[in-house]
Amino acid sequence: MPSSATLLIDFRRNGERYEMVKWAERTLRNFRVVPPGTGIIHQVNMEALARVVWVTDAQDEGGGPPWLHPDLLVATDSHTPMINALGVVGWGVGGLEGQAAMLGEPVTIPYPDVVGVRLTGRLRRASAPPTSP
């Protein structure tokens, strides 16, 4: 963690940038910011930011099964893809590309063609979800 003097210097040098990011957090839906001074991005607990999968109702009129949507994380850090271990697509982009994405520009991400996934077998008897501290 940076010292308070270092953080004050950072705020003085990057005040406009931080103001823009805070504006974006207040204005844009589903946009969260990790505040300055909490560590460099690959020290931030990505698991806390990731939703992994979320569910929406069926898109067709006949009802149908719900839709499952995979999470995606775009960040301006080369360590971001480490979140892939959670099953979240992590994509590291350049600073300008990341800032453009914050302003609504699309980020092109080449996905592999996936026809489907088949899960087989079952969890071992001793398997359990992790417990919260």
Side-chain angles (χ1 to χ4, degrees):
M1 294 286 221
S3 70
S4 58
T6 304
L7 203 51
L8 286 173
I9 292 168
D10 189 38
F11 279 124
R12 194 168 35 250
R13 288 180 180 165
N14 298 297
E16 281 186 20
R17 183 177 295 169
Y18 291 139
E19 286 176 26
M20 193 274 298
V21 169
K22 286 305 287 180
W23 167 84
E25 187 175 42
R26 287 188 309 269
T27 307
L28 304 172
R29 250 179 355 135
N30 296 323
F31 180 82
R32 291 184 287 169
V33 175
V34 177
T38 55
I40 54 179
I41 191 69
H42 61 273
Q43 292 176 326
V44 173
N45 186 353
M46 292 294 195
E47 294 90 341
L49 298 175
R51 293 171 63 186
V52 184
V53 174
W54 69 94
V55 181
T56 59
D57 292 330
Q59 302 281 324
D60 58 353
E61 292 179 21
W67 288 53
L68 302 175
H69 303 275
D71 203 350
L72 170 71
L73 177 74
V74 175
T76 57
D77 187 278
S78 60
H79 293 80
T80 302
M82 293 191 313
I83 199 167
N84 289 340
L86 293 174
V88 174
V89 177
W91 203 256
V93 297
L96 291 176
E97 190 176 7
Q99 289 175 0
M102 284 185 359
L103 297 172
E105 290 296 316
V107 176
T108 303
I109 300 174
Y111 283 99
D113 291 331
V114 178
V115 176
V117 176
R118 181 186 304 268
L119 302 176
T120 61
R122 58 173 50 158
L123 288 175
R124 287 183 281 169
R125 188 177 166 117
S127 297
T131 57
S132 299

